[in-house]
Amino acid sequence: MQIALSALAERLGLPLRGTDRQVSGVGTLESAGPDEVSFITGAKYAALLESTRAGAVICAEEFADRVDAALISANPALDFARLLELFSPPQGRFSGVSERAFVHPEARVAEGATVFPLAYVGPGAEVGPGTRIFPGCYVGEDCRIGSDCVLYPNVTLMARTVLGDRVMIHPGAVLGADGFGYVPRPGGGRDKIPQVGVVVVEDDVEIGACTTIDRAMLEKTVIGAGTKIDNLVQVAHNCVLGANCTIVAQVGIAGSCTVGRDVIMAGQAGIADHVNIGDGAVVGPLTGVRTDIAPGARMGGIPAMDYGTYMRNLSLAPKIPDLFKRVKQLEKALAALGAAPGQGERT
């Protein structure tokens, strides 16, 4: 793709200041050449403007005079992301429904949808217009997929899973597998509890590679609109996640948790079952959550505690061996003075 900066500025809705030229790609301030566009997010990186070879830079007004061509933005990171969409063609150059895909006669695939070779669409399934189903995908019976969704290779939707519009699911993710539910059997062993609920994914959700979202035992497991889930995340049965959450890699959420809007969970956080997490809360990396979290709280550590407390504990932990040594020295000094540790004042 080659485009004039003036045309690019018009498409992005950004003012152009400086020399108009043709550009054909994107890059970092360090790597970009004269035919590429880069960006800067703040003064921390301003020194790189002196040496960058980028043909144009998306930047705030304060940096515009330091480059040959600037696309002036109030949010350079966001506008650079929009630019990347223009230079990143969608994967998969196939359209229509392949004769080598299996689409059950009772399935309904809308005009304009794409089903790649070696995909499976089961009886009663519905696929909306503009949706693309890549090779190796399994869409079980009575699934409903909205418009403009993307199921990358080897995605599995078990029976009756529901996707809204513009949902993107990366390779290897599994939605609608049975929740982990068993009842102890008298005399030993466990009997499986049938999982008869569904998974519902609302509009504009993105789900990372090899993530698993279990069907509910009864009713629904729900992923709220706009939520972004990273790779290798586990969401157990009957969880309800609110809108616009960010769930980072290797987070594990146990069954029947309720998560509010705009919640952030960092990598490898673990949430116990039946926990409620309030709107806007932040759960730090490697945090173990076993009790409810209030809206807006920032938590860290195992067990989870206020993030400020956790950081103070973390900074003090390396000093514990030295503190222990000093206490032993004080005990010896007291003993030498003839006062036993813990003994009160002499009378």
Side-chain angles (χ1 to χ4, degrees), residues 114-148:
T114 294
V115 183
F116 280 71
L118 307 181
Y120 173 94
V121 181
E126 299 180 12
V127 179
T131 286
R132 307 171 75 224
I133 301 176
F134 277 68
C137 289
Y138 174 91
V139 179
E141 56 269 24
D142 301 315
C143 286
R144 288 190 285 129
I145 302 175
S147 61
D148 299 312

Side-chain angles (χ1 to χ4, degrees), residues 272-341:
D273 58 291
H274 294 85
V275 164
N276 298 314
I277 298 178
D279 295 348
V282 177
V283 179
L286 295 169
T287 298
V289 179
R290 57 184 178 83
T291 58
D292 292 353
I293 295 177
R298 298 177 72 247
M299 309 296 287
I302 303 175
M305 64 191 78
D306 173 77
Y307 198 76
T309 302
Y310 166 64
M311 292 303 294
R312 288 194 294 273
N313 289 350
L314 204 61
S315 65
L316 289 171
K319 301 177 182 178
I320 290 176
D322 182 59
L323 179 61
F324 180 78
K325 181 179 178 180
R326 290 169 62 189
V327 169
K328 295 299 289 184
Q329 290 172 342
L330 288 171
E331 288 177 342
K332 290 180 180 178
L334 285 172
L337 293 171

